[in-house]
Amino acid sequence: MFKSKRSGLVRRLWRSRLVTESDVRTGLEEDLASTAHAFLKRLKDRSLDALVKAVETKGGVPGECVIVPRTELRLSAHHVSPQYLLCRLFRWSDLPLSARLKALCHCQSFGSGDSVRVCCNPYHYSRLCGPESPPPPYSLSRSDEHKLLGKFGGGKNGLPTHQTDTGTSIGSSTSGGQRSHWCSVAYWEQRTRVGRLYPAFEPSLSIFYDLPQGTGLCLGQLHANQIRSKIGFGIVLSREPDGVWVYNRSQHPVFVHSPTLDLPSARGLSVKRVMPGFSLKVFDFECSSWMTEHGIKPETQEGPWDPHSIRISFAKGWGPCYSRQFITSCPCWLEVLLNTHR
């Protein structure tokens, strides 16, 4: 009976695997099948069950961590990690060997890069968006750095001064013995705010329309709206030591902007697209501290400006590269107000 159950779980997983024409053409399909089959056979029933739930619900039920020894598996002429293998097989058929995978904050592998064991649940990982373009002020090229510092001034020896402990200032204070919220989220539809301001106390916050097992800000509880339903599984906002990250778990891209995504000398608004399954650091604590210290305000901003806010639009972009010039023309968007306790 137990053997039959294991075989059934493996068959259910196998029906969900992703195979591309390129795999078939190059013969990689056979190598993938052989490597994955040998790997799955070593997993315990509980781990297989967690994988089935995560894969069949496409992350709607992320499931438990699937912990295995940190090792390398042979795939054709390459060696790959267990998490790469399962992400390649069940999430991203186009996942290149050079892809950077980031463990989500609720995963046991989050922040444990040197551990001898690792989680290989593919829905506990996201892909990282490409390198920041333009780079933040404190990592500019030599020529750009001189231009910027000549315009805005610098610290000792003409270089930006760093404050590495800025992350502790957000969401760390207490009031009456209770922990304070680290951000508040406002949901907007074009120029109209819908619902109340939602405070976030836990390090991560899910914002979604419909999620099988989701806790957080459920936009589906608001009055019916056909456009809003496209938000689906939505996003996860995560406060981490280096900044605030956005993980897109929906089926559509999201578009983001924050003060630390812009170079102060930038001529246009830097609105970044985050594709499904990808993560992006949308607010950098160190960069924000540097900008505040030097009194820097991006040239693209006119009038009142909040240096501690993030704006996120679902499915529709805005700015110089889009037909919508302002986020208030987007059908569904969020305003994330970071709590700096000032």
Side-chain angles (χ1 to χ4, degrees):
M1 180 179 71
F2 294 108
K3 186 176 181 180
S4 176
K5 179 183 177 181
R6 281 185 63 81
S7 299
L9 290 172
V10 172
R11 283 196 300 270
R12 286 170 63 183
L13 277 172
W14 218 241
R15 286 196 294 267
S16 302
R17 75 188 190 280
L18 303 174
V19 179
T20 66
E21 291 184 6
S22 175
D23 294 339
V24 176
R25 187 172 60 253
T26 60
L28 186 59
E29 179 188 10
E30 185 176 340
D31 290 334
L32 274 169
S34 175
T35 302
H37 185 69
F39 177 74
L40 293 174
K41 278 174 54 177
R42 301 200 298 267
L43 296 181
K44 297 179 180 180
D45 287 357
R46 180 172 177 174
S47 295
L48 283 173
D49 190 53
L51 280 178
V52 169
K53 288 179 180 177
V55 170
E56 290 187 341
T57 64
K58 298 187 183 302
V61 181
E64 303 173 359
C65 285
V66 179
I67 302 298
V68 298
R70 186 183 293 274
T71 185
E72 290 189 336
L73 306 171
R74 185 64 179 263
L75 179 60
S76 189
H78 306 281
H79 288 88
V80 300
S81 65
Q83 60 268 38
Y84 172 90
L85 176 68
L86 296 192
C87 285
R88 171 71 170 74
L89 200 63
F90 297 117
R91 291 201 68 183
W92 302 292
S93 60
D94 63 343
L95 188 66
L97 289 168
S98 60
R100 297 180 298 164
L101 296 174
K102 180 181 187 296
L104 301 178
C105 58
H106 62 266
C107 178
Q108 292 182 36
S109 288
F110 174 73
S112 60
D114 298 328
S115 175
V116 296
R117 298 176 68 80
V118 65
C119 173
C120 62
N121 184 331
Y123 281 93
H124 283 196
Y125 288 87
S126 69
R127 296 173 68 173
L128 286 178
C129 292
E132 292 177 337
S133 178
Y138 50 86
S139 64
L140 294 174
S141 68
R142 209 63 165 157
S143 60
D144 284 342
E145 183 180 64
H146 285 309
K147 291 178 185 177
L148 184 61
L149 292 176
K151 186 171 185 177
F152 292 102
K156 186 178 180 181
N157 300 323
L159 296 176
T161 55
H162 294 184
Q163 282 185 276
T164 58
D165 194 32
T166 56
T168 59
S169 67
I170 295 184
S172 61
S173 74
T174 59
S175 177
Q178 295 184 345
R179 184 168 48 129
S180 176
H181 62 286
W182 65 271
C183 79
S184 296
V185 179
Y187 171 67
W188 295 77
E189 292 177 355
Q190 295 184 323
R191 293 180 175 274
T192 303
R193 202 181 97 184
V194 181
R196 63 185 178 89
L197 202 62
Y198 190 96
F201 295 91
E202 298 301 321
S204 67
L205 171 66
S206 293
I207 302 171
F208 56 92
Y209 179 82
D210 183 27
L211 194 62
Q213 291 185 10
T215 58
L217 176 52
C218 178
L219 301 176
Q221 294 179 345
L222 303 175
H223 61 79
N225 182 303
Q226 195 66 33
I227 296 177
R228 192 188 310 135
S229 65
K230 293 184 179 181
I231 293 171
F233 291 175
I235 63 170
V236 177
L237 280 176
S238 176
R239 189 200 71 210
E240 301 179 14
D242 60 342
V244 178
W245 288 76
V246 164
Y247 165 52
N248 182 7
R249 67 194 306 185
S250 75
Q251 298 300 307
H252 302 278
V254 298
F255 298 82
V256 300
H257 173 262
S258 86
T260 67
L261 288 176
D262 274 332
L263 264 180
S265 58
R267 295 295 180 182
L269 194 71
S270 295
V271 177
K272 306 291 186 181
R273 180 173 61 177
V274 183
M275 297 299 291
F278 279 72
S279 285
L280 176 69
K281 182 166 64 174
V282 295
F283 192 89
D284 188 294
F285 293 149
E286 188 176 12
C287 178
S288 175
S289 175
W290 185 86
M291 293 175 69
T292 300
E293 180 183 350
H294 292 84
I296 294 174
K297 174 181 175 181
E299 291 184 355
T300 55
Q301 299 289 341
E302 296 182 359
W305 175 63
D306 186 348
H308 300 103
S309 67
I310 304 164
R311 293 182 172 187
I312 305 168
S313 173
F314 294 99
K316 303 296 183 181
W318 82 98
C321 298
Y322 300 91
S323 59
R324 301 166 187 82
Q325 293 298 298
F326 306 100
I327 195 170
T328 49
S329 299
C330 295
C332 306
W333 60 280
L334 302 171
E335 186 176 25
V336 182
L337 307 171
L338 300 180
N339 185 3
T340 58
H341 309 295
R342 293 177 179 175

